[in-house]
């Protein structure tokens, strides 16, 4: 069910009223993280999160009794690409333990299939850090792969290899309909935690609802700015966000447009400003023939928010 807004357009962030702040990639003492599962839940709860996915390497770390926030048993699994190369894959919400895949790793397509067969959803982790190219995704069109990490805090802090938007856009241009998430990949809480979030829209806080909202793409990702709504109609894309210094429509090579508050910005579309003059939204026209359309917003503190590719009417 979609909600049609009075001003026109469907909110592509989803019809539900509850927004949960999710940390979807974090390690505990069950693999190479510093903090035990129960303590990590407390840590992320204090940092303002509602949901934490345990993604220990090849281990499905279970939920914890009396958890302050929702825990999603999950895992990070290495998939072999051949030639000594690997893709790390997040299996979120899996119902089985993947430890046998450490001894007998599968290829990327087979790993995604195993996660799907066991009730989970798949995102490819830190593709920049892993050196992945679009060729590594060959044959995955139409597979249950939901998306990639567009931002990984640990890879950014350690090596400046956290932002994978170039690969993501390349895949979108080739016709892959992939979402993207922003995660911490936390190993050392307090250092590499509380930076990235996935904001999921659900009708109630449950693991089932979060997994299904990920499947439905009722979410956006952020390291700072928030999206209030993204209304899409026949001739118009209307973005409402927290105060930002730029809002950009990405639509493939050479296509799109940016609204920025700096003088060093071309202007495409119409800005929406609040009473104090802050940029809090934008209205864009869809771009005919574009392979995809997605929106990115940046704030003055260096934070970025990413929508998924927008379903255009
Ligand atoms: Zn990894
Ligand atoms: Zn990891």
């Amino acid at each position: 069910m979609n909600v049609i807004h009075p001003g026109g357009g469907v909110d592509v962030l989803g019809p539900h009223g509850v927004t949960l702040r999710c940390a979807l990639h974090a390690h505990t003492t069950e693999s190479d993280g510093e903090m035990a599962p129960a303590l990590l839940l407390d840590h992320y709860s204090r940092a303002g999160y509602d949901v934490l996915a345990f993604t220990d390497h090849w281990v499905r770390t279970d939920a914890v009794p009396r958890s302050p926030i929702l825990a999603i048993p999950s895992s990070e699994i290495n998939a072999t690409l051949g030639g000594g190369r690997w893709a790390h894959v997040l299996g979120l919400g899996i119902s089985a333990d993947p430890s046998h895949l450490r001894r007998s790793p599968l290829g990327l397509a087979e790993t995604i299939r195993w996660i799907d067969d066991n009730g989970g959803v798949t995102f490819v982790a830190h593709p920049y850090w892993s050196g992945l190219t679009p060729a590594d995704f060959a044959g995955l069109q139409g597979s249950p792969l939901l998306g990639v990490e567009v931002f990984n805090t640990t890879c950014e802090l350690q090596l400046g290899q956290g932002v994978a938007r170039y690969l993501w856009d390349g895949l979108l241009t080739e016709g892959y309909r992939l979402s993207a998430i922003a995660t911490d990949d936390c190993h050392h809480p307090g250092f590499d935690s509380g930076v990235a979030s996935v904001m999921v829209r659900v009708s109630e806080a449950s693991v089932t609802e979060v997994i299904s909202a990920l499947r439905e793409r009722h979410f956006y990702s952020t390291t700072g700015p928030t999206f209030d709504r993204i209304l899409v109609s026949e001739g118009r894309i209307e973005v409402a966000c927290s105060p930002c210094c730029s809002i950009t429509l990405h639509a493939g090579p050479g296509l799109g447009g940016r609204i920025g508050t700096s003088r060093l910005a071309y202007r495409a579309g119409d800005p929406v400003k609040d009473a104090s003059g802050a940029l809090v939204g934008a209205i864009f026209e869809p771009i005919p023939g574009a392979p995809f359309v997605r929106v990115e917003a940046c704030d003055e503190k260096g934070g970025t928010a990413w929508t998924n590719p927008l379903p255009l009417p």
Side-chain angles (χ1 to χ4, degrees):
M1 182 193 71
N2 284 313
V3 176
I4 308 291
H5 283 254
V10 172
D11 189 350
V12 300
L13 296 179
H16 303 301
V18 179
T19 301
L20 301 177
R21 186 177 177 201
C22 307
L24 296 183
H25 187 167
H27 298 270
T28 76
T29 45
E30 297 295 304
S31 64
D32 56 350
E34 270 175 359
M35 214 177 246
L39 294 175
L40 194 64
L41 285 164
D42 284 340
H43 177 82
Y44 267 95
S45 172
R46 289 193 187 98
Y49 286 75
D50 307 297
V51 177
L52 173 64
F54 295 127
T55 55
D56 285 307
H57 298 282
W58 295 286
V59 175
R60 180 187 180 275
T61 302
D62 222 332
V64 172
R66 292 180 299 284
S67 167
I69 57 174
L70 207 58
I72 303 183
S74 305
S75 183
E76 181 172 12
I77 303 164
N78 288 20
T80 177
L81 298 173
R85 297 174 64 243
W86 298 89
H88 292 197
V89 165
L90 300 178
L92 304 176
I94 49 174
S95 56
D97 189 272
S99 21
H100 62 288
L101 297 177
R102 183 171 208 161
R103 295 184 300 275
S104 313
L106 301 172
L108 186 51
E110 293 76 23
T111 305
I112 294 166
R113 174 59 55 199
W114 184 90
I115 291 167
D116 189 58
D117 286 346
N118 288 284
V121 293
T122 305
F123 290 89
V124 171
H126 47 66
Y128 186 177
W129 184 90
S130 296
L132 302 188
T133 70
D136 293 315
F137 292 76
L140 294 178
Q141 265 160 329
S143 83
L145 174 64
L146 273 191
V148 298
E149 283 181 346
V150 65
F151 183 85
N152 179 298
T153 300
T154 288
C155 295
E156 186 62 20
L157 290 178
Q158 288 188 351
L159 299 163
Q161 296 180 1
V163 183
R165 92 143 59 109
Y166 183 64
L167 176 82
W168 184 29
D169 281 356
L171 290 166
L172 293 174
T173 300
E174 289 187 19
Y176 293 81
R177 193 164 171 265
L178 296 175
S179 302
I181 55 175
T183 73
D184 285 335
D185 198 357
C186 173
H187 291 74
H188 313 288
F191 172 64
D192 54 12
S193 59
V195 176
S197 309
V198 177
M199 308 299 279
V200 170
R201 292 259 184 103
V202 292
S203 59
E204 59 172 30
S206 72
V207 172
T208 313
E209 279 281 306
V210 171
I211 296 298
S212 122
L214 292 172
R215 285 189 204 280
E216 299 290 323
R217 305 170 199 270
H218 290 158
F219 68 90
Y220 69 91
S221 300
T222 184
T223 56
T226 54
F227 287 122
D228 298 326
R229 59 188 177 278
I230 310 285
L231 300 181
V232 170
S233 58
E234 196 88 29
R236 186 179 153 101
I237 298 161
E238 187 182 332
V239 179
C241 57
S242 56
C244 281
C245 51
S246 72
I247 304 171
T248 307
L249 194 73
H250 288 271
L255 298 172
R258 169 167 290 179
I259 293 174
T261 54
S262 153
R263 72 178 181 84
L264 295 174
Y266 288 98
R267 195 174 120 185
D270 294 315
V272 176
K273 299 193 172 175
D274 69 8
S276 71
L279 181 66
V280 292
I283 296 167
F284 296 106
E285 285 180 16
I287 297 170
F292 67 91
V293 171
R294 63 176 187 84
V295 176
E296 243 176 72
C298 299
D299 67 17
E300 286 183 349
K301 292 181 185 163
T304 301
W306 300 264
T307 71
N308 290 310
L310 307 181
L312 297 177

